[in-house]
Every structure is written in C-alpha cells, then in structure tokens.
Amino acid sequence: MSELTQAVARRIIDTVGAHGVPPEYGFQFFSVGFEPYLAIIEDEYLSSFIPQGGSAFKLVIGMYGGGKTHLLYSIRDVAWKHNFVVSYVTLSPGESPFHRLDLVYGAIARGILPPLTPEELLSGFEYGMASFLRGWYAMKFQECRSKGLSGEALYSELEADVERLSGVESLSFLRAIKASLRALAQRREDDFENICQWLTGESYDRKTHSRHGILQRIDRSTAFTMIRSLVQCLRQMGYNGLVVLLDEAERVPSLSTRQRDQHLSNLREVIDACGHTSFQGAMIFYAVPDDNFLEGRTQIYEALKQRLDTVFGGLNPAGVRINLESVVSDPVEFLVSIGQKLAEVYRVAYGCQFRDEHLAATITNVAGFAADQRYADEGYKRLFVKTIVRALHHLRQKGVPPSVDDLR
Amino acid sequence: MLRTRHRGFESLVEFADGRKRWVRVDELSDVPPLMLPARVSASPREPDDESFRHRRMIEAFRLGVVPYDLVDEFTFGRDSETRVLRDWLGDGQHQVCFLVGAYGVGKSHLVQYVRGRALREGFAVAAVDMDPSETPFHKPKRVYASLIQSFRYPRHGEQQPGGFREFLREVLSRGGLLDHEYFQHLARSADECLWEWIEARESTPRPVADVNYRQLPSLYDFTTAANIYCYLLSALGWAALQVMDLKGLLLLIDEAEAATQVGYGYQSKGLNFLQALMRTAANDPKMAGPPLRSGFDYCSMGYASEIPFLYRDPSGLKVVCAFTPVWLLDYLSKSATPLRLDLEPLGEQALKGLFEEICLIYDSAYGFLEKDPIVDLIYRRVKDRGGRTRMFVKAAVEALDLMRFGQRRPVAEVLA
C-alpha cells in the first residue's frame, strides 16, 4: 500500500494534530530532510554490509519533538524492506533504564517485530517474542503446506526446521527457542508461555524452566550474551539480522553516580561489540535529545566520548552521529516543505481544496511562528506539525488564513 | 474468516451458528494466503572477502576500535613495544605484564597483537574483556567461562588453531590431568552436558539434567571461588607446557581497570581473584597447598575448600593485563612484580604511515581514492585536528567520508 487513502490520511492528521508525533504508518507521506542519512543507511548498511555479517552503531541526536521518532520509523521501514527484524525500544527510566542491561534486553525482546505490511500496521499487530515465534511457526507451517506436505510428514519437516537452529552462544537461549516452537507444534500453550516469559527476561523459575534445558538466568551479567544470541537466532531463522532502535524519549531523572557510570559503561560495551562485530548482523541506533550525557570527567566519560565524538564539522551521513539539526539549513524553508506535504495529506483526508495563496500564507505564517520558538523546550518541528493541522482546520472552516494570534 | 493475528498464526473464524473463535493455522483446512511485505532481496549479495574485511575495519575505525581479528593487519609505530612483548613471551622470569596507557592510546590493539603473536610462537591463548556487568573480576566463574570460550591453541601441521574441547581431549588422551579434580571427569566419554559444565556455560554448579552428575565437583559462582578457577586455569597452563609441548597458556585481560568500577565490597573480591591469579601464574609455593594458607579468600564450601589455587608447578601461565592508569596499579605491582609497559601516543612517522594505510583500506571498502597532493592536504588537516591514536584514526576516516560526500569541493572547505 503506497497510495494515500482517505482513511490513512485522516489517521495521519488526527495523530499529528493531537500529539505532534508521527503515526506508525503514514509518516512516509510527510517526511522531509532525512534523505542524506536514509540513503546511506540503506545503500551502505542495510542492503549489504549488515546482512553480510557486519554490525554498526549510530548515535541519533535530536531535541524533543525534533524528529527522532520519525527518523526511527523511517529506518524501521528501510530495515523491513531488507528483511530485518526490528525492535523499537523506548528507554524509560522505570521499565528499561540503560544502566540495567537485563531490562534493556527484555525491552528489546518484547519489542521485536518481523517485517510487516502496511495493512498489518494499520489493522493492528502484536509486538514481542511470543507473537514473533507464533508468526514464524505459521510461516513455516504454510511453507510446508505449500510443498504439499500434511500430517506426520509436515510435522517432521517442521521439526527438522527447528532442529537446524544451532550455533548460538547461549545454550539456554537456543534451547528456549527450540522448546517454544516445539510447544507450539504440540499445542502446549502453557509451556510456550512459560518459555516466552523467560525469553523476554521476565522471570526464571528453575523448576519450570530447567525442564526445557533453560539453566541460565537473564540478568545484568548475561544480558549481552542474550542479545547476541537473539541476533544469531534471527539470522538462523531466515532474517538478515536485527535492527535495534533505542529511543531515549524521556529526560533521565537524576541517577546516582554509580547508575550513571553503569549506563555509560553499558553503552560503551554495546559500541565496542558493534565495532568488533560480535553482534554480527545487528545495527543499533541510540537516539538522545542531546549529547550532554557525555559531559563528565571520569575515565568512563572519556572512553565513551572518544567513541562518539566527531572531529570535523559538516554533515557526514556515514558518520557515527546522526544529527537531526544538521539537515536543516533554513528552519523556515524546512518547515514549509513539511507543511506542503501535510497540506496534501489534509486535502485527501477531508476531500477539500484550498486556494493556493491562502495555503501558502498559512504555511509560511505557521512556519515562521514555529521557527521563532526553536530555542524553547518543545521541539519546534513538533510545535509546527501540531499547529499546522490546527491552522488547516481554521482555513478549511473559515476560508481565510489564521493569524498568529489565532494559533496561540 | 474475519481476520488474522500473530502473522497468520490464528484466524478469527465465524461459524455457521454465528459463534466467533480464534483458530490456529494448523487447525484450518483452508488457510488464507500469507501476507509478506515487499522485500528488496531475500538474501544479501555475497561479500567480496577483502572489501568486506576492509569495510568492517572502516566501520570499526568510525567507532574508534579495531576488529579483534584484523589487528595483525593494522599495527603501526609500535616497534619497540612489540619487541618488548616478544622478548617477554620468551622470558621465564616475569609471568605477568601490565600494559598501561590512557584511553585511546592503543592498549587493546596491542593486547590483540600479542595474542596473535603468542599463538604463532606456540602458546595457547585465552582472552577476556573485563566488564563490570558481564565479566567482573568478582565473578571468577564468568571470567573463566569467557576465557574458555576464547581459548585457542596452535595445532601441529594445521592452519587453524584448535579450541578448548580439542585441547582437553588431546591432553586427556595423552594421560595428562587424570588426577585433576575437575578435568578427570571428561576422560571417559564426555557428553554435551559434561562439556557445558566444565566450560562453565551455565550458572548452576553442576548439570541438573540428570542424577548421574551428582558425583561431579561443583563449579561455584561465588565471589570467593578464586581457588577453583585458578586451579582450572593453571592446570590448562601446565598441560599446555608439559603435555602438549606448547610454550604455555597466555591469558589476556583487557580493560582491567574494571576492577575499580564496582562497589567497594566487590572491589576487594575482584582484586582477590586478580592477585591470586597473578601469584598462581608466578608459581608461588603457597598457592599449591591448602587454600587456607594462601592468604587469599577462597571457596569454603565443602569439597571446594580443599582445592588449591595452583594445580602443579610450573603453572605454564603468563598473564597480560591492560589498564588505564588507576590507583590499583601500584597496589598490584607490590605483590606481582610485573613487567610494566607504558604506552605513549604515536610519533609523526607512524601517524603518516597509519594514515596512508587507512586511505588504502578506505579505497578497498568504498572505491574512493584521492590523488597524492589532496591526500597530503587531508593528512595535514587530520594531524592538526585528530588527537591520540584513536582520535587520529577516527579523524582520518571522517575526513575521507566528508571528501567522498563533498562533491569535489576543496579540502579546506570540506574539512573546515
């Protein structure tokens, strides 16, 4: 589905107008400015280097409401196109703080999504390991059926597919994946759910899990092993790898010195693992509002800073940093481009027409108004998209462009 | 059929009597076609080995690291240090070497270099990157597990080094380690469970799969279990030297400053293991007797309380620890008398050679090579703006990136 229908357009306008965030499907219709980065991510990473067994890490920097989520959704789209499983993780201080890697692993496992169609994105879908494994089982089942297999022969073929999974770092992880798929085939739903509970890092119960050969807890010290094992399994299951989108969406509240050090140390470990290609077939994006978290004097800060620093100015689409402000040379012009795309979506959503001069005036006014706020707390891009929807409502209902006062 | 969920695993079916129920794919005779999103390609194109290797290098350089397996191809300006390390490998006096230097100066690089060198010279090698969460010093079992996973030894007449299992099988088949409290259990037919147990792949002290394993001694995960893991490692070192005719077992411990990055209680437990390992490597006679007399914390759990730190003299162990300058260096030096190698930033000539090599690797990865006068201009910019080794390498790759995307604009403009 690449055509903009009225229903999709309405959904885009409603979501953007209410919250200033892009919808999971439909963001493509008003994307502006990501092309230099996306082109390189696709051409030099996701279509070749990562599937071949490379790994990479990118730091995404963009203020609140500055387009981070929009970019991450765009990356997800490209990754799906190239047969990657994607996990979008909102790093929240409560559920998945980065100083607790075991919780981050759990969030990654709960967030995984295989490539989805636009129809699935629009009609609802389920995140996470349990749904992923069910989907994989369904896909294999149908593959067997399409080969003309049925009954015992079909289940033997499925069992062979499961048995072929091997060469995974954590034996417990591999056994868990195999046991979960066998539980599905044998309709042991309780076993399946218990194993998935472990796979998503929720709990370890020796009595329950050791029956399936799961002898390891998922804790801080095994989280990296589990992430690596997850990627290895995905590649064996026929995908090109895993793209992890870590979105540090909220400002991290005050952490203790130890927690902060642990957070930075974990991040450095992740970066090194990508550099040394121990996460073969993984690409990790870590999105933050700014790079203030690198400001510190201890060795941990220094080590991390060196890895994430850039030396020269200028836009480097292949660099370790993706700076969302670097693609904006003229804020007003940039917002006008977004406004024009959103106006087109609005036209489809409401089946209405605007006079060209009215529309141009409206977009320019709102762009100027939002650009003036670009040093405020809320990102000016988010402010713009929310305001432009209100302004287009005004223009549609009253037939004249709104004044700045109307927009306040 | 109204809709599906879990990517076709279940379909919502409305029956003739009006009831609706989710039905599994394997319970349906007529399954809706699977919806799969459009893909560009089902599988990636095959990599050209050399260009992929160089591409990996460039990607690692962007992050300021060098891939472990490609270090040999990328060592510059460290002639005196590598000479010292080569001499140390052949020196029977110092069993422990400290590589000390600031972040980004190239410690990990040299650790990897010495690993490759030692393997070629006839050592078995095992390496671990210390990490406060994954492999902290206060968790000896994890450190041991990590070392075992990376264990390699040179095999006569073979191009590829062998791993831990082959090594141990061969040692046992030659009659070695048959009196070892742990390794002897693998002398008879060893199944996968036994191997996983001895490799410390699971956190449980012994396999739980079967009652037959109850006679096995426990591999505890306690912070105090330093004696068990020193005993295991020193046995491997001894076997390398005495049974396999190798030069010993080289243990490489990178990021050793991690010992200071944990709470105080764990710090002392971590230092206990590190010091005990160094003293074991040095064949300290106290380490060969009952652990109670060693002066170190040990596992006092039943049978394990009898396990000495040192299996036999000579331990066959040599240990390299790479640190950033931290307070514990002086503290450790008192007890271990290590060889200490302080790393300084690279000199001008080495930087030039390094830069030229990066240009060639970059060309192989991206097919992008500037003419010599332009390369000189870029080098000057990189030298002025880059810092120590790591930042210099990062600056070089960044400069080449910017030039590649810079649409033939002048160097001064692109690298402003």
Side-chain angles (χ1 to χ4, degrees), chain B residues 115 125-128 144-153 162 164:
Chain B
R115 179 184 177 277
V125 296
V128 59
Y144 165 80
S146 198
L147 287 165
I148 291 303
Q149 217 166 53
S150 67
F151 185 100
R152 296 288 179 275
Y153 76 104
F164 170 72

Side-chain angles (χ1 to χ4, degrees), chain B residues 249-265:
Chain B
L249 168 61
L250 176 68
L251 303 179
L252 299 133
I253 300 174
D254 199 2
E255 321 274 359
E257 67 275 7
T260 63
Q261 292 164 2
V262 291
Y264 180 76

Side-chain angles (χ1 to χ4, degrees), chain A residues 44 145 175 184 268, chain B residues 24 31 196 255 394 404:
Chain A
E44 297 189 358
R145 262 208 182 153
R175 288 177 190 144
L184 278 180
R268 181 198 151 170
Chain B
R24 286 170 49 125
V31 184
E196 287 165 18
E255 321 274 359
K394 275 177 68 94
R404 178 162 64 103

Side-chain angles (χ1 to χ4, degrees), chain B residues 229-413:
Chain B
Y229 300 100
C230 287
Y231 176 71
L232 287 160
L233 291 167
S234 62
L236 294 173
W238 178 88
L241 204 56
Q242 304 291 337
V243 181
M244 300 288 281
D245 301 322
L246 298 170
K247 292 187 176 175
L249 168 61
L250 176 68
L251 303 179
L252 299 133
I253 300 174
D254 199 2
E255 321 274 359
E257 67 275 7
T260 63
Q261 292 164 2
V262 291
Y264 180 76
Y266 287 136
Q267 259 183 46
S268 63
K269 297 288 186 220
L271 287 176
N272 176 72
F273 176 47
L274 180 55
Q275 282 183 291
L277 183 60
M278 294 193 305
R279 295 274 286 276
T280 301
N283 302 304
D284 183 332
K286 279 187 192 168
M287 307 306 273
L292 178 65
R293 296 192 200 144
S294 66
F296 289 99
D297 281 350
Y298 61 96
C299 183
S300 56
M301 197 84 155
Y303 185 79
S305 64
E306 304 296 317
I307 301 288
F309 285 84
L310 175 60
Y311 167 65
R312 277 190 201 173
D313 187 348
S315 72
L317 292 177
K318 275 178 113 60
V319 183
V320 173
C321 283
F323 296 89
T324 53
V326 280
W327 62 266
L328 67 85
L329 278 166
D330 294 337
Y331 175 78
L332 289 170
S333 299
K334 283 175 199 160
S335 62
T337 56
L339 170 78
R340 178 167 168 163
L341 191 54
D342 285 278
L343 298 185
E344 299 300 332
L346 291 177
E348 164 79 21
Q349 207 181 342
L351 288 178
K352 186 86 165 102
L354 182 60
F355 181 75
E356 284 166 0
E357 184 64 18
I358 290 171
C359 287
L360 294 174
I361 293 170
Y362 197 92
D363 179 35
S364 166
Y366 292 109
F368 176 84
L369 187 62
E370 289 284 11
K371 293 187 172 65
D372 285 352
I374 306 271
V375 169
D376 279 343
L377 286 174
I378 300 171
Y379 169 69
R380 267 178 258 154
R381 289 268 168 176
V382 168
K383 194 166 72 74
D384 291 346
R385 299 284 287 278
R388 284 199 188 104
T389 318
R390 175 178 291 137
M391 289 315 287
F392 178 87
V393 169
K394 275 177 68 94
V397 173
E398 201 182 320
L400 293 169
D401 280 339
L402 290 166
M403 291 303 296
R404 178 162 64 103
F405 298 124
Q407 295 159 339
R408 301 275 162 214
R409 285 179 298 142
V411 175
E413 192 184 318

Side-chain angles (χ1 to χ4, degrees), chain A residues 116-346:
Chain A
L116 298 181
T117 59
E119 290 80 4
E120 286 172 297
L121 280 167
L122 289 165
S123 64
F125 54 91
E126 302 83 8
Y127 284 97
M129 192 61 90
S131 182
F132 172 79
L133 291 169
R134 286 189 173 112
W136 192 80
Y137 173 85
M139 188 173 73
K140 285 288 161 190
F141 186 89
Q142 296 206 46
E143 274 176 21
C144 292
R145 262 208 182 153
S146 66
K147 288 180 198 167
L149 297 171
S150 63
E152 279 301 308
L154 187 148
Y155 282 102
S156 296
E157 180 76 9
L158 273 176
E159 172 57 31
D161 278 334
V162 171
E163 198 45 50
R164 265 193 288 273
L165 301 174
S166 63
V168 172
E169 183 177 346
S170 164
L171 297 167
S172 288
F173 192 93
L174 179 63
R175 288 177 190 144
I177 293 287
K178 286 180 167 185
S180 67
L181 292 166
R182 289 185 178 122
L184 278 180
Q186 292 157 16
R187 294 178 172 76
R188 290 182 281 110
E189 195 61 28
D190 282 355
D191 280 349
F192 176 75
E193 282 175 5
N194 285 334
I195 297 165
C196 285
Q197 232 176 354
W198 181 85
L199 280 168
T200 50
E202 275 182 45
S203 63
Y204 176 73
D205 177 62
R206 189 169 160 173
K207 198 173 155 195
T208 307
H209 293 116
S210 62
R211 282 191 306 119
H212 304 291
I214 302 167
L215 304 177
Q216 228 173 354
R217 286 174 188 282
I218 297 179
D219 57 23
R220 293 167 204 229
S221 60
T222 56
F224 265 119
T225 307
M226 295 307 161
I227 296 171
R228 285 193 292 265
S229 301
L230 171 62
V231 182
Q232 288 157 1
C233 262
L234 293 174
R235 282 169 72 83
Q236 298 228 6
M237 292 167 102
Y239 295 96
N240 274 336
L242 175 69
V243 171
V244 180
L245 308 171
L246 300 167
D247 193 352
E248 192 88 71
E250 301 172 46
R251 281 185 204 283
V252 178
S254 54
L255 293 173
S256 70
T257 304
R258 200 169 148 206
Q259 287 173 330
R260 192 177 303 281
D261 284 355
Q262 189 60 62
H263 177 125
L264 298 175
S265 172
N266 289 341
L267 189 55
R268 181 198 151 170
E269 279 290 307
V270 169
I271 292 167
D272 283 5
C274 290
H276 294 303
T277 331
S278 58
F279 285 156
Q280 286 197 340
M283 187 161 187
I284 298 176
F285 294 83
Y286 183 69
V288 288
D290 53 48
D291 60 359
N292 293 343
F293 70 100
L294 295 171
E295 297 306 320
R297 296 189 176 188
T298 62
Q299 290 174 334
I300 294 173
Y301 285 93
E302 184 55 32
L304 189 58
K305 223 164 118 94
Q306 283 187 10
R307 283 157 174 78
L308 296 175
D309 256 358
T310 54
V311 178
F312 300 99
L315 192 153
N316 177 7
V320 66
R321 286 183 181 220
I322 294 176
N323 190 334
L324 290 179
E325 281 312 297
S326 69
V327 295
V328 180
S329 50
D330 179 340
V332 173
E333 203 177 299
F334 174 82
L335 295 178
V336 166
S337 301
I338 297 175
Q340 286 164 343
K341 289 194 171 194
L342 272 175
E344 190 48 44
V345 174
Y346 194 96

